[in-house]
Amino acid sequence: MTVQIFLGREREIRFLSDVLSDVLNGESRVVHIKGAKGLGKTSLVKEFLKNVPDNVVRIHSSHVRPGYGVIREFVKKFGDRRRLLGRVLPMEAVHIYPDLSSYFVFPEYDARPVDEYFILYEFLDRLSDVSPVVLVLDNMELYSAEDLELVRKLILSLEGKPIMFVLISTPDISFYRALAIDLEPLSLEDLMELHMPVEVVERLYRVTGGIPTLVNQLLFSMRHLNLDPQRAFSPEILEEIYGKILDLLSEEEKDFLLKMALTEYVDVQSPVFRHLRSLGLVDEEGIRLHGLKEYILGTISEEERKSFYRREALSLLDEFREGEAFDLEKLHRLVRYMELSGLDEKYPEEFSKCALRLGNHYRKLNKYSLAMEFYSRVRVDPYRKEAARLRLLIAIKTGGHEDVDTLFQQVSDDREAVEQYAKYLLFKRRFEDYEKLVEGKESPILHLYYLYYRRDYARFKKKAMKMLDDIEGPDKLNLINFLANIYLMEGERKKAMDYLRILRAEAERHGDLVIVSKALYHMGVLAYEMEDYDSAMEYAVKALDMARRSGYIYGQMYVHYFLGVFLQEQGDYKRAGLHLEKALELAIVEKNDYIRISSTFRLSDEERKMAMVEDLLFNRSIYSHIFNRLALDIIIPFLARVDVAKARALLSEIEPERDFMEKIYSAYRAFLNGRKLPKKIPRLLMAQIYELKDSTLPKALEIYKELGFALKVMEISERLNIPSEFEREKVEIRTFGGLRLKDVAGREISGKDIGTYKAQQILLILVKAIWDDKNITTDDILAALWPEFDSQRALNNFHVNLTALRRVLGKKAIVKDKYFYRLNPEVVYLDLQEFKENYEKGIHYRNMGNPHKAYTYFERAIEVAGDRFLKGIYDPLFDDFIMQVNSAVMDALEFIGQYELERANYDKARRIAREILDIDYFNEKGHELAIRTMMESGRKSAALEYMRRVKRIFMEELGFEPEFHGIEKGGRV
């Protein structure tokens, strides 16, 4: 076996290890390793994986299909662990990857077409619940555009799971918000680690340019062929090396290498492959030795190549005709070899059949570009007609792959094609073309679509309700959706909600998660307009979950934006910001201008908002397709606060494009013209409009009080400079100087009131989660507090103690968001949270080189702290946590002390040193600060005496003396 030499890259290995530590703490991370071919990207990852803990699942896939490659590598590695496979592999994977079926433990499976993304999402979601995962996707430059998009969707959907995605590609691929490692060639210093003569290393560096692959290959050739190093490192001798390598091989091995060079297909099960791999010539990706493939291809003529492809194609064609099971890889090879050898023209029927089968496969996976590519290769009927029909359906569905009208002319006699094309014409409002198409043969279903798009809603409702029970499939879902839309436009919100619930139930029955997500999203928006804000939040969270499970990125984007706007209106700006950031990220991926601009505007400061509004007004023609919506949602509300005349002028120019925008339009029109707002507009919209002027702020405050938006009430009360009734409604949790609690009335809560110590531990776990920025599940708490109990007994204990906690803190103090428990910042004040926010800002400004601002925030943090963290609590479960917070306190104190010392504020510096030593007497920096303060204030003798005393105490207590660098020299201060 050839030994791969690994040189340098210590910094990159250290970086990957730091990222892994975040993943082991429950975070998800994405690392993108980029670099030209031969720079050792794969070797770097393999070296890193050697030190990954055994409890982490490692999957390294270099296959050109990410879904197949990941599943294949996993089942090859864990094929003997049947229980694990049964727990994490979705049943539908058997259908998509039949050649891996021997690894699956399911006696039966659902053979319905499923999305490859869904399989991977379900698999990684389940696997990451069992163990942290390091997933390496190699050779991503070979991925199709659809597969790259699949990976992007996976990363976004699995955010928050303990998965470390390591993406390896050439520099021309990018991933939004990935942590990038741009590999460079090795330096001369790196090559010195070879411990060879300096002149040989310098020659090696000049010839290879520090490219790791070339370094390894030339060292390999030198050792195995007994070549002189000086000659082996000369570029002109490389052909001689390749010739000698081939001379050492048998004819069977040469043929195997030739086949690999021509076909790029690797038969990893072959004994020949295993032997060549042991020599370091090949690996699972192909011919490994740099330049050998080009050398082999240069030894054969074009005619010989064509003859080879012909032989391979005929061999595969015989298998295909005999009806042998053909996997996707064989089909790809057969189509490619037939094209390269010209056999596609000699055997057009077989070629068309293969191309059609490949197109159908990719259509089921929603990879429409690839499906279109293979359908377009189909040559003869009846396959050509079927391919044209499927191309038409894809073009209608995607609205952009090909010209729909031209495609329809090829299949105008097909019944299904006629029906789909008719629906397409109605959707495009091409009623004359539709009437010509269906003249005298309009089906009842098509007639319903016609009535809906013609806006004849009364007749549509009457007929649809009669036919609804007799219809199944996509048509039924569409008609239910149409009914919900009609009732929404007519203002009958309760009926609209009823039909959205029916739509959700039907979509769940059909297994269509995308429609389920859409229905839940619209239910959330409708509940929001009906001022049922708890239900709105519940529906939106469920919609987001369904959109993630189905890989519906557009749905995720809109739900994140809705949640961001909703929480912002409630005054919860922190959580709103997280959702808006996510919406912005997805909008950039999906190229959605409306969400991108709206999210950016809501996240920006006033100055940037003004710049964006001016840009939108100046470039109105560019954004004409969304300008009216942007005007009502963004531009006019902003201008109403800064330039009413401009807002009024713009409002007169636009027309609301949809019925639901009419209410917003009429409300702004009345407000800007000084009239009363219409009575029928939603109360929340009314409050938002009243917020635009200082004179109407009291009216906004009244509405927010009615709606129970506590944070909004506090914000507007502050603007009006009046006390807020909500300000007293916070439970206090003090952690510095010991754990102390106060209820909403300001009364102390004793440990006896809380109940058992386990209840206090639950509270401290939730406090720790805020410090760690980590989500806490029920399982996390059970594992920490009752590891020896069975799950049911532990769960019962948890609920008893949680109820006791909520009884004294209040029901809303501890809330559950979907799967996670947290302290509710709306009703709980936590001193640690205030300390953390100020400490992190201090760190930020210290790193930015702004000591004055850093000092200000560190001072605020210390004002909050005041004493040791969780003083008097000795619990091994929280020892590390207490140490971390106390270390942060000392870090802030050390900075403040040094800052005061530099400004000759000796009394304050001395006091800071004393505070540090109160927390930890054996803190060397605290003693160093005390000594420096004495020295610089002119008390050098006292400093020397103090230093000797400290050294003596350290030696007696700890067995060593502290070193005060820069203070003492030769025993003198």
Side-chain angles (χ1 to χ4, degrees):
M1 179 70 72
T2 303
V3 177
Q4 181 81 13
I5 300 170
F6 188 82
L7 303 170
R9 308 302 191 205
E10 292 87 357
R11 183 169 60 86
E12 288 83 359
I13 292 287
R14 198 160 50 246
F15 176 79
L16 290 169
S17 299
D18 290 343
V19 172
L20 178 62
S21 65
D22 292 339
V23 173
L24 295 178
N25 287 327
E27 302 291 331
S28 60
R29 290 289 183 267
V30 184
V31 178
H32 187 192
I33 302 175
K34 299 187 285 186
K37 204 167 180 62
L39 287 180
K41 301 184 291 294
T42 302
S43 299
L44 168 65
V45 171
K46 287 180 177 177
E47 188 70 18
F48 160 67
L49 291 176
K50 290 177 184 177
N51 299 315
V52 171
D54 292 337
N55 67 319
V56 177
V57 174
R58 289 154 284 183
I59 304 174
H60 187 160
S61 169
S62 55
H63 200 278
V64 294
R65 289 170 52 211
Y68 177 82
V70 170
I71 300 288
R72 183 185 69 172
E73 291 303 316
F74 180 77
V75 296
K76 279 168 61 180
K77 193 170 184 178
F78 297 99
D80 57 336
R81 294 176 61 182
R82 309 296 280 179
R83 287 185 64 188
L84 176 63
L85 294 179
R87 187 173 174 185
V88 302
L89 286 173
M91 288 189 295
E92 294 88 350
V94 186
H95 177 61
I96 286 193
Y97 313 121
D99 54 322
L100 303 177
S101 59
S102 61
Y103 291 103
F104 292 85
V105 294
F106 315 111
E108 299 176 0
Y109 60 89
D110 182 3
R112 66 183 174 83
V114 289
D115 191 294
E116 190 168 17
Y117 161 81
F118 172 78
I119 298 295
L120 260 185
Y121 171 79
E122 285 287 314
F123 165 63
L124 291 171
D125 185 47
R126 295 178 188 179
L127 183 60
S128 60
D129 287 338
V130 176
S131 168
V133 180
V134 175
L135 175 61
V136 182
L137 299 177
D138 212 336
N139 296 324
M140 294 191 70
E141 65 274 10
L142 303 178
Y143 283 14
S144 65
E146 287 80 4
D147 284 333
L148 287 172
E149 192 57 38
L150 181 149
V151 173
R152 290 189 177 99
K153 285 164 64 176
L154 267 182
I155 291 169
L156 290 169
S157 300
L158 291 166
E159 188 174 18
K161 289 286 186 176
I163 302 175
M164 179 176 176
F165 291 91
V166 182
L167 316 176
I168 304 176
S169 76
T170 49
D172 53 333
I173 297 173
S174 61
F175 284 87
Y176 185 65
R177 290 198 172 178
L179 303 168
I181 296 178
D182 292 300
L183 283 191
E184 300 289 340
L186 296 171
S187 65
L188 182 60
E189 290 73 19
D190 292 328
L191 294 185
M192 288 299 178
E193 295 178 21
L194 291 169
H195 304 297
M196 298 171 70
V198 174
E199 61 276 9
V200 173
V201 174
E202 289 177 345
R203 180 74 182 273
L204 175 64
Y205 180 69
R206 284 199 302 274
V207 171
T208 63
I211 297 173
T213 303
L214 197 53
V215 171
N216 269 290
Q217 289 163 359
L218 290 179
L219 290 173
F220 167 82
S221 68
M222 179 187 76
R223 289 168 182 168
H224 286 266
L225 302 177
N226 297 316
L227 292 172
D228 177 70
Q230 301 294 331
R231 294 187 71 240
F233 295 160
S234 302
E236 62 271 12
I237 211 71
L238 286 176
E239 286 199 12
E240 182 184 335
I241 293 173
Y242 298 143
K244 287 191 175 186
I245 289 172
L246 293 179
D247 289 343
L248 294 174
L249 302 178
S250 67
E251 288 302 317
E252 184 183 16
E253 289 165 345
K254 289 180 187 176
D255 288 342
F256 190 89
L257 281 176
L258 176 62
K259 187 173 180 179
M260 284 184 71
L262 285 167
T263 66
E264 299 178 1
Y265 171 67
V266 185
D267 182 5
V268 295
Q269 304 301 324
S270 168
V272 178
F273 169 80
R274 289 196 287 271
H275 176 62
L276 292 174
R277 184 173 59 180
S278 70
L279 297 175
L281 297 179
V282 301
D283 59 19
E284 289 80 357
E285 299 170 26
I287 296 175
R288 176 181 166 198
L289 190 59
H290 183 75
L292 181 58
K293 177 182 175 182
E294 289 72 16
Y295 176 80
I296 293 171
L297 291 175
T299 61
I300 60 173
S301 66
E302 190 64 37
E303 190 57 40
E304 286 175 314
R305 289 192 196 191
K306 198 168 183 178
S307 175
F308 172 84
Y309 288 130
R310 185 183 179 86
R311 287 198 307 273
E312 290 294 313
L314 288 172
S315 173
L316 288 170
L317 198 55
D318 288 340
E319 288 183 41
F320 183 74
R321 285 169 176 163
E322 289 170 9
E324 292 194 19
F326 248 51
D327 62 22
L328 191 66
E329 199 160 30
K330 275 189 177 180
L331 272 176
H332 270 288
R333 284 163 51 207
L334 178 54
V335 168
R336 179 168 175 260
Y337 298 161
M338 289 183 78
E339 286 181 322
L340 289 170
S341 63
L343 290 178
D344 56 328
E345 296 179 3
K346 186 172 182 180
Y347 304 108
E349 185 172 345
E350 287 89 344
F351 179 80
S352 298
K353 196 173 180 181
C354 291
L356 181 64
R357 190 182 292 184
L358 283 169
N360 288 341
H361 172 80
Y362 286 116
R363 181 174 62 85
K364 289 174 183 177
L365 297 179
N366 298 328
K367 297 183 177 181
Y368 298 122
S369 295
L370 279 172
M372 284 291 209
E373 180 187 328
F374 284 106
Y375 286 147
S376 63
R377 296 183 187 182
V378 178
R379 307 281 175 80
V380 296
D381 288 330
Y383 309 112
R384 180 167 54 187
K385 189 171 182 180
E386 174 65 7
R389 184 182 70 81
L390 294 169
R391 284 166 67 195
L392 172 68
L393 298 181
I394 291 174
I396 289 172
K397 186 172 185 177
T398 58
H401 276 89
E402 290 188 41
D403 180 55
V404 174
D405 296 328
T406 304
L407 285 172
F408 177 68
Q409 297 306 318
Q410 302 175 31
V411 288
S412 56
D413 57 343
D414 183 89
R415 182 177 174 183
E416 185 184 354
V418 169
E419 187 166 315
Q420 294 299 326
Y421 183 61
K423 292 174 184 176
Y424 167 78
L425 293 175
L426 288 172
F427 176 73
K428 292 291 185 180
R429 302 289 198 279
R430 291 167 55 183
F431 298 115
E432 289 185 10
D433 293 338
Y434 169 80
E435 287 162 3
K436 288 178 185 176
L437 178 71
V438 300
E439 188 176 4
K441 51 183 179 181
E442 184 183 46
S443 69
I445 291 289
L446 281 179
H447 184 63
L448 283 174
Y449 279 83
Y450 177 77
L451 292 175
Y452 177 76
Y453 286 112
R454 273 291 191 184
R455 299 189 179 181
D456 189 350
Y457 297 143
R459 290 175 64 200
F460 173 84
K461 285 192 291 184
K462 188 176 179 181
K463 289 178 176 288
M465 287 174 183
K466 287 182 180 178
M467 295 177 59
L468 210 52
D469 292 337
D470 301 325
I471 304 172
E472 280 299 329
D475 283 324
K476 184 168 187 175
L477 296 177
N478 283 337
L479 294 183
I480 296 169
N481 189 33
F482 290 164
L483 285 166
N485 288 341
I486 290 169
Y487 283 119
L488 194 57
M489 288 184 283
E490 291 175 349
E492 296 191 48
R493 292 175 177 169
K494 288 185 179 179
K495 283 190 177 180
M497 183 66 85
D498 289 340
Y499 276 102
L500 286 172
R501 290 193 181 103
I502 294 170
L503 177 63
R504 174 191 175 184
E506 282 293 321
E508 286 175 343
R509 189 168 68 83
H510 285 83
D512 193 332
L513 298 184
V514 171
I515 299 295
V516 173
S517 173
K518 287 181 178 180
L520 285 164
Y521 168 71
H522 289 295
M523 288 164 71
V525 173
L526 189 53
Y528 167 83
E529 291 181 2
M530 296 166 71
E531 300 179 6
D532 182 359
Y533 300 118
D534 289 341
S535 296
M537 178 64 77
E538 180 186 344
Y539 292 139
V541 169
K542 288 180 179 176
L544 188 58
D545 181 51
M546 288 295 113
R548 281 174 174 163
R549 287 180 59 193
S550 61
Y552 181 35
I553 297 294
Y554 236 73
Q556 293 177 49
M557 177 184 70
Y558 271 100
V559 177
H560 275 299
Y561 180 71
F562 169 73
L563 286 169
V565 173
F566 177 49
L567 291 168
Q568 208 171 56
E569 286 162 357
Q570 286 188 309
D572 191 347
Y573 297 111
K574 187 173 181 180
R575 289 170 65 203
L578 295 174
H579 284 290
L580 290 170
E581 285 278 3
K582 196 70 183 173
L584 175 61
E585 183 179 328
L586 296 171
I588 291 169
V589 171
E590 292 292 320
K591 300 181 175 65
N592 185 294
D593 284 335
Y594 175 75
I595 299 295
R596 177 180 60 81
I597 293 168
S598 301
S599 300
T600 304
F601 187 87
R602 288 179 175 274
L603 287 165
S604 301
D605 54 28
E606 291 299 307
E607 190 175 332
R608 191 174 173 192
K609 286 179 184 178
M610 188 69 218
M612 179 174 281
V613 166
E614 289 175 354
D615 178 61
L616 291 172
L617 292 171
F618 183 75
N619 295 307
R620 184 168 174 174
S621 58
I622 296 175
Y623 298 109
S624 58
H625 59 298
I626 54 171
F627 186 81
N628 285 356
R629 288 185 67 191
L630 289 171
L632 287 174
D633 286 354
I634 288 176
I635 305 173
I636 289 172
F638 183 77
L639 289 177
R641 284 185 283 133
V642 296
D643 192 338
V644 175
K646 211 170 189 178
R648 194 182 294 125
L650 179 60
L651 190 67
S652 65
E653 294 176 24
I654 68 169
E655 294 180 7
E657 296 169 339
R658 300 182 188 173
D659 296 336
F660 73 87
M661 296 173 69
E662 177 65 43
K663 293 174 184 174
I664 304 173
Y665 176 79
S666 59
Y668 280 127
R669 185 173 56 199
F671 182 74
L672 293 172
N673 291 318
R675 298 196 304 269
K676 286 185 177 181
L677 296 184
K679 291 182 179 179
K680 291 188 178 181
I681 68 169
R683 300 278 288 162
L684 185 57
L685 174 60
M686 191 177 289
Q688 292 164 352
I689 293 173
Y690 282 143
E691 265 194 273
L692 298 176
K693 287 184 180 178
D694 289 342
S695 60
T696 52
L697 269 180
K699 292 182 179 179
L701 182 61
E702 286 178 22
I703 297 173
Y704 282 129
K705 282 181 180 178
E706 290 174 25
L707 299 176
F709 282 17
L711 294 174
K712 269 291 184 184
V713 170
M714 292 167 65
E715 178 192 331
I716 295 176
S717 298
E718 191 175 329
R719 285 172 63 184
L720 292 172
N721 199 23
I722 60 175
S724 166
E725 63 187 81
F726 288 100
E727 289 174 339
R728 298 186 305 276
E729 294 187 3
K730 282 211 174 189
V731 176
E732 274 190 23
I733 301 178
R734 300 277 178 183
T735 53
F736 289 97
L739 184 63
R740 304 185 310 282
L741 310 176
K742 286 184 181 179
D743 63 16
V744 292
R747 294 186 297 265
E748 292 278 350
I749 300 173
S750 66
K752 187 178 178 181
D753 294 327
I754 293 175
T756 66
Y757 181 64
K758 291 291 186 185
Q760 182 174 301
Q761 285 183 307
I762 292 172
L763 179 61
L764 290 178
I765 287 172
L766 296 174
V767 169
K768 183 176 183 295
I770 290 173
W771 177 260
D772 294 336
D773 283 328
K774 185 179 177 182
N775 293 321
I776 294 294
T777 64
T778 308
D779 290 342
D780 295 331
I781 297 172
L782 301 188
L785 301 184
W786 296 281
E788 72 282 6
F789 289 180
D790 63 74
S791 58
Q792 191 56 52
R793 187 180 172 192
L795 193 61
N796 290 339
N797 276 292
F798 167 65
H799 284 304
V800 168
N801 286 283
L802 181 65
T803 302
L805 259 183
R806 282 176 165 161
R807 189 169 54 245
V808 295
L809 298 179
K811 288 183 180 179
K812 293 186 178 180
I814 300 173
V815 293
K816 186 177 183 183
D817 289 340
K818 196 178 177 185
Y819 308 115
F820 310 116
Y821 284 96
R822 64 179 177 85
L823 292 172
N824 184 357
E826 291 184 13
V827 296
V828 173
Y829 167 78
L830 176 65
D831 60 350
L832 179 65
Q833 190 160 12
E834 187 177 352
F835 170 82
K836 181 175 184 279
E837 289 169 1
N838 284 294
Y839 175 70
E840 287 176 346
K841 286 178 181 176
I843 294 288
H844 170 74
Y845 284 112
R846 181 173 68 185
N847 294 340
M848 294 289 288
N850 189 337
H852 179 67
K853 276 204 169 184
Y855 171 81
T856 302
Y857 283 109
F858 281 140
E859 271 270 283
R860 292 179 188 173
I862 294 304
E863 284 173 13
V864 174
D867 201 347
R868 242 186 310 176
F869 181 67
L870 291 180
K871 189 175 181 180
I873 290 182
Y874 305 99
D875 187 333
L877 192 62
F878 304 107
D879 282 350
D880 289 342
F881 173 38
I882 293 169
M883 190 181 300
Q884 287 171 20
V885 179
N886 282 330
S887 296
V889 172
M890 286 191 284
D891 181 42
L893 285 169
E894 288 161 11
F895 182 89
I896 294 169
Q898 190 61 39
Y899 184 90
E900 298 292 2
L901 187 61
E902 288 171 2
R903 282 151 185 76
N905 296 331
Y906 301 125
D907 289 340
K908 195 163 184 182
R910 192 179 299 112
R911 180 174 59 79
I912 295 297
R914 195 157 48 243
E915 287 185 31
I916 294 173
L917 298 175
D918 282 344
I919 296 174
D920 179 9
Y921 181 79
F922 294 101
N923 183 289
E924 294 184 28
K925 289 187 177 179
H927 289 296
E928 187 174 320
L929 178 62
I931 295 168
R932 285 186 181 276
T933 303
M934 294 178 196
M935 286 171 54
E936 296 187 21
S937 63
R939 300 170 59 211
K940 290 190 177 181
S941 299
L944 183 59
E945 179 59 33
Y946 179 88
M947 185 169 67
R948 288 171 180 161
R949 186 171 71 252
V950 168
K951 284 190 170 187
R952 187 177 67 252
I953 294 170
F954 266 69
M955 180 57 73
E956 290 171 357
E957 297 291 332
L958 303 179
F960 67 88
E961 289 186 354
E963 295 183 7
F964 300 117
H965 300 288
I967 293 180
E968 57 175 333
K969 187 175 181 181
R972 298 173 58 195
V973 174

